[in-house]
Amino acid sequence: MDFIIEAAVKAVKALYQTDIEPAAVSIQETRKEFEGQVTIVTFPFTKFSKKGPEQTGAEIGEYLKNELKEVAAFNVIKGFLNLSISDEYWIGRLYNTITADDFAEPKPNGQKVMVEYSSPNTNKPLHLGHIRNNLLGYSVAEILEADGYEVIKTNLVNDRGIHICKSMLAWQKLGNGETPESSGMKGDHLVGKYYVLFDKELREQLKPVLNEVYEKHDLSAFKENQKAKIEESLATIAKVKEKRAQTPETNTKLLGELDDKIAAEEDKIKEIAKNATPIMIETQQMLQKWEAGDEEVMNLWRTMNGWVYAGFAETYKQLGVDFDKYYYESNTYLLGKDIIEEGLEKGVFFKKEDNSVWIDLTSDGLDEKLVLRGDGTSVYITQDMGTAQLKYNDYHMDKSIYVVGNEQDYHFKVLFLILQKLGKVDGNGLFHLSYGMVDLPSGKMKSREGTVVDADDLMAEMEATAKQQTEEMGKVEAFSEQEKTELYHTIGMGALKYFLLKVDPKKRLLFDPNESVDFQGHTGPFIQYTHARIKSVLSRADYQPQSKPTVTELAGVERDLIVLLDKYPETVKEAAKGYSPAIIANYVYELAKTYNKFYHEKSILQAEDEDSKQFRLILSASSAKVISKGMKLLGIEVPERM
């Protein structure tokens, strides 16, 4: 619509003898309750016209109608000038732009972007939270590629640390040589089983340790610094309990605050006590052996990680996501130490008496942040600095996007600020795509208790639900068994992906598997069914693209459909700019709804004449093409028939 803006600039010059910049012209889509497709906001022009916004709008509207053949009519509602663009213009857009082979095809913009997503731990299988992460990361990568970026999809695997050793130790003690082959379990599920068993054993061993603390007041199992912390917490608990006893039962607010304080101190004691259990002591020893390169421990680590990687590969394939590059924390966790030394020399970091290294970010509205422990071991941010530098050295990308849940918002603020202060990476090129957690109707997921919603189980459930609902509609009799299996997978995964991606990434969402597989609602299957419906119409018509039929007037629903199709490239740009698949998802839903309205209001195969029939078939084929393109950006397949 640049030609509208150019003409509006000329109108202001001609009518009010004032030069304005194109940026001063604000245009938007006309609201559905008014006539027209394009709206110009006229309030800013009243200072030039010295007239009210309605009269100003009427004068500019008259000028545009006389000067532009594309403007068929106009109306003014308060300070808004609504323009009706001619049918000839929209028919031309369909014939010359929308049906072109290169419509909405990527045009390289010369920029490189890395999207890091998934980032699993190798001590358990992927779960529902990982599914949102993977789908979001993959879709953002596809959208950015469609907007002309060169995209590198990466996965930073957390394959080291105390949590990995927990699964290893549990398998060593309780596994009896069990393998994925001997158990018939996927490798990631098998390792996850031992992570759960570890936690179960830890809870059992924790009971007597806590009993020594609370019942016998015996702290002999603890080191001196641990004793001091426990005694401090016990003293605090005693004081709070005393205050609680003196608080009237009617003061529920204060009682609740005191209970929270007691619980917080008890949690501190529990964390210290955990490290005094035999199983945690052994785990710490195993981690020390791993870091020292002990051959036996390293072999076990390689074996169990191999099981997990094989399991992950199956899940990723089923989910339909992939990666161009894998990074492993076992290779990157030491990289940040050189950066720490460099930062100390530059005065970005400082050392405390215990030899630990910190950065003071209080002047930036944040806190002091530990970047290296006093014993020289790295913390998460140490390795993240090193990994950021490694990734940049490998690819020299213009932008780096981290797809990580919103519980890490503060971490990434600190990381990006440190990298900026070090001059390592352009701070404007770093972005944390923060997303909300996923809940189920049954409540929040907890992995260590073994009640996690497993990704593989959820995908299988989605396919089963798709099968049940599709068969109830009774339209798959002509399908072979293999075709049915493929269709149920396509519908089930489409339902899952669409439900998780149609919501703004920042929002927490409640995922209901049954609601997501609805062929009539705001769902993936509804859009898939619309695509299959269009393909059926084209097939029955034996449609072959041919010369442009002669059509001079459009029905309202035909015009609406062309306007919406014409918006697709701009929608991709908007989604890329906001890193939001939800923008694409909701656009495709509107397109599917509009096509269905067109389908019900206008006969296609029984059109009043051959030109109208061919025109509506072109409109149908264009709608199928754009629906397919949009759904592909969400990682969703659209079937030819359903």
Side-chain angles (χ1 to χ4, degrees):
M1 290 293 159
D2 287 345
F3 71 94
I4 297 284
I5 294 174
E6 291 171 12
V9 169
K10 291 178 183 176
V12 172
K13 173 71 171 176
L15 294 169
Y16 312 122
Q17 293 74 54
T18 304
D19 291 312
I20 61 171
E21 293 295 321
V25 182
S26 173
I27 70 169
Q28 58 196 39
E29 189 177 353
T30 302
R31 288 167 58 178
K32 289 182 179 177
E33 60 264 36
F34 301 126
E35 285 291 321
Q37 294 86 45
V38 183
T39 296
I40 298 177
V41 182
T42 61
F43 291 107
F45 307 138
T46 56
K47 58 185 175 184
F48 312 129
S49 68
K50 310 298 182 188
K51 299 169 185 175
E54 290 193 341
Q55 188 178 352
T56 303
E59 291 177 348
I60 295 174
E62 197 64 47
Y63 179 94
L64 295 177
K65 186 181 175 186
N66 291 332
E67 293 294 319
L68 294 176
K69 62 179 174 49
E70 293 90 350
V71 176
F74 71 90
N75 64 85
V76 181
I77 308 293
K78 296 182 179 177
F80 300 94
L81 168 60
N82 303 318
L83 304 176
S84 294
I85 308 302
S86 70
D87 286 351
E88 181 185 359
Y89 172 82
W90 292 119
I91 293 166
R93 291 296 292 177
L94 176 65
Y95 286 166
N96 302 322
T97 303
I98 297 168
T99 58
D101 291 339
D102 63 351
F103 178 65
E105 286 298 304
K107 295 176 179 61
N109 62 18
Q111 288 198 298
K112 193 181 293 185
V113 60
M114 178 177 285
V115 184
E116 180 190 298
Y117 58 98
S118 197
S119 305
N121 297 330
T122 58
N123 62 331
K124 54 190 174 185
L126 303 178
H127 56 62
L128 177 55
H130 288 117
I131 287 183
R132 187 177 198 189
N133 180 299
N134 278 278
L135 297 182
L136 189 55
Y138 180 83
S139 181
V140 166
E142 292 291 300
I143 290 166
L144 289 168
E145 189 172 326
D147 194 37
Y149 287 89
E150 180 185 345
V151 179
I152 307 106
K153 295 177 283 191
T154 63
N155 187 350
L156 174 62
V157 182
N158 186 354
D159 64 340
R160 64 164 291 277
I162 194 73
H163 51 293
I164 307 299
C165 290
K166 289 177 180 179
S167 295
M168 290 165 59
L169 185 70
W171 182 87
Q172 207 174 47
K173 286 180 166 297
L174 307 169
N176 296 317
E178 187 177 32
T179 66
E181 291 75 21
S182 69
S183 65
M185 293 176 71
K186 276 178 81 231
D188 51 336
H189 287 252
L190 181 63
V191 173
K193 167 186 165 181
Y194 286 97
Y195 184 64
V196 172
L197 288 174
F198 177 94
D199 194 67
K200 183 180 178 183
E201 180 62 24
L202 175 61
R203 288 200 301 271
E204 288 301 312
Q205 293 189 13
L206 185 60
K207 290 174 186 176
V209 177
L210 289 175
N211 185 58
E212 294 290 317
V213 173
Y214 289 116
E215 301 299 326
K216 300 180 182 179
H217 304 288
D218 181 1
L219 305 183
S220 58
F222 300 97
K223 297 174 182 177
E224 289 305 314
N225 64 329
Q226 293 174 327
K227 286 180 185 177
K229 289 177 181 177
I230 291 174
E231 285 168 349
E232 184 181 337
S233 288
L234 288 172
T236 301
I237 290 170
K239 286 179 184 177
V240 175
K241 283 184 174 179
E242 186 178 342
K243 185 174 181 180
R244 196 191 190 292
Q246 297 167 0
T247 303
E249 291 296 323
T250 52
N251 193 346
T252 53
K253 184 174 183 292
L254 179 57
L255 288 171
E257 290 172 355
L258 295 172
D259 286 341
D260 288 345
K261 180 67 176 172
I262 291 169
E265 295 301 324
E266 287 176 343
D267 283 344
K268 289 180 185 178
I269 293 172
K270 187 183 288 186
E271 284 306 308
I272 297 169
K274 280 181 181 178
N275 290 322
T277 58
I279 197 167
M280 275 304 299
I281 291 169
E282 284 187 80
T283 308
Q284 291 285 358
Q285 291 168 348
M286 178 177 275
L287 179 60
Q288 289 164 5
K289 286 182 179 180
W290 184 92
E291 294 196 356
D294 180 89
E295 194 57 34
E296 184 182 347
V297 172
M298 294 300 289
N299 283 336
L300 176 60
W301 173 74
R302 292 187 195 100
T303 298
M304 293 183 72
N305 272 354
W307 296 343
V308 174
Y309 296 145
F312 283 173
E314 285 184 47
T315 305
Y316 289 142
K317 183 179 179 182
Q318 187 82 341
L319 199 54
V321 302
D322 57 19
F323 306 93
D324 301 309
K325 174 75 174 179
Y326 282 85
Y327 289 96
Y328 299 91
E329 289 191 359
S330 56
N331 295 330
T332 65
Y333 81 106
L334 296 174
L335 292 175
K337 292 188 178 182
D338 291 338
I339 295 175
I340 300 290
E341 288 302 317
E342 184 183 328
L344 283 168
E345 290 174 14
K346 289 181 176 179
V348 175
F349 304 128
F350 67 93
K351 277 191 178 182
K352 290 192 174 181
E353 289 180 3
D354 64 354
N355 221 33
S356 60
V357 182
W358 297 71
I359 185 169
D360 186 357
L361 299 174
T362 52
S363 61
D364 298 285
L366 304 175
D367 300 320
E368 287 189 351
K369 176 69 178 178
L370 173 72
V371 295
L372 196 68
R373 294 189 185 96
D375 61 4
T377 57
S378 62
V379 291
Y380 273 118
I381 209 149
T382 323
Q383 83 186 12
D384 284 349
M385 284 188 281
T387 306
Q389 185 64 56
L390 175 63
K391 292 194 297 186
Y392 185 75
N393 292 345
D394 285 347
Y395 291 99
H396 295 282
M397 58 276 188
D398 301 282
K399 295 183 180 183
S400 187
I401 299 165
Y402 296 77
V403 183
V404 183
N406 56 16
E407 73 275 10
Q408 295 294 332
D409 284 354
Y410 184 80
H411 174 84
F412 282 100
K413 278 182 187 175
V414 172
L415 175 64
F416 295 167
L417 191 53
I418 291 174
L419 291 170
Q420 216 166 349
K421 287 179 183 292
L422 289 167
K424 286 291 173 188
V425 188
D426 179 8
N428 296 323
L430 299 170
F431 185 79
H432 172 208
L433 181 49
S434 171
Y435 63 90
M437 294 297 100
V438 184
D439 295 314
L440 289 163
S442 57
K444 193 176 179 182
M445 301 176 300
K446 295 180 182 178
S447 60
R448 282 183 299 178
E449 284 79 2
T451 58
V452 65
V453 180
D454 179 81
D456 296 313
D457 292 344
L458 180 59
M459 287 191 285
E461 182 187 335
M462 293 304 301
E463 290 189 26
T465 305
K467 177 182 179 181
Q468 178 190 341
Q469 297 208 16
T470 305
E471 289 180 348
E472 284 175 3
M473 295 174 69
K475 295 185 178 181
V476 288
E477 293 85 354
F479 285 62
S480 69
E481 287 305 312
Q482 183 179 343
E483 287 173 333
K484 287 179 185 178
T485 300
E486 290 172 358
L487 179 64
Y488 302 147
H489 174 72
T490 299
I491 295 172
M493 294 310 299
L496 174 65
K497 293 179 180 184
Y498 189 84
F499 200 99
L500 294 182
L501 291 174
K502 72 178 181 180
V503 178
D504 184 283
K506 294 185 287 294
K507 292 183 179 177
R508 189 169 192 141
L509 65 85
L510 182 71
F511 176 68
D512 186 338
N514 291 318
E515 184 186 333
S516 71
V517 186
D518 183 346
F519 289 88
Q520 300 301 322
H522 184 185
T523 65
F526 167 73
I527 298 167
Q528 290 173 317
Y529 189 73
T530 300
H531 182 268
R533 163 175 277 171
I534 299 172
K535 287 294 187 178
S536 173
V537 169
L538 296 174
S539 175
R540 281 185 285 147
D542 193 23
Y543 172 71
Q544 300 293 331
Q546 51 185 251
S547 59
K548 303 163 186 174
T550 302
V551 174
T552 56
E553 290 185 19
L554 296 174
V557 70
E558 292 172 330
R559 187 184 306 109
D560 291 345
L561 196 50
I562 296 172
V563 171
L564 202 49
L565 289 167
D566 200 38
K567 279 176 61 178
Y568 178 67
E570 197 57 40
T571 304
V572 172
K573 287 191 174 300
E574 184 188 352
K577 185 178 178 182
Y579 307 124
S580 177
I583 291 171
I584 297 292
N586 287 284
Y587 165 84
V588 179
Y589 173 62
E590 285 302 316
L591 179 57
K593 274 203 311 182
T594 304
Y595 181 84
N596 279 293
K597 187 170 185 286
F598 158 74
Y599 175 84
H600 288 296
E601 288 186 11
K602 292 292 167 187
S603 176
I604 301 173
L605 300 183
Q606 303 299 322
E608 52 272 25
D609 54 64
E610 187 62 22
D611 278 339
S612 295
K613 175 183 175 181
Q614 290 304 319
F615 174 78
R616 290 169 189 167
L617 287 170
I618 290 171
L619 201 45
S620 296
S622 299
S623 298
K625 177 174 78 171
V626 174
I627 286 172
S628 178
K629 278 178 174 286
M631 292 292 265
K632 183 176 181 294
L633 297 185
L634 304 176
I636 299 174
E637 295 179 22
V638 283
E640 296 286 308
R641 61 189 186 123
M642 282 172 70

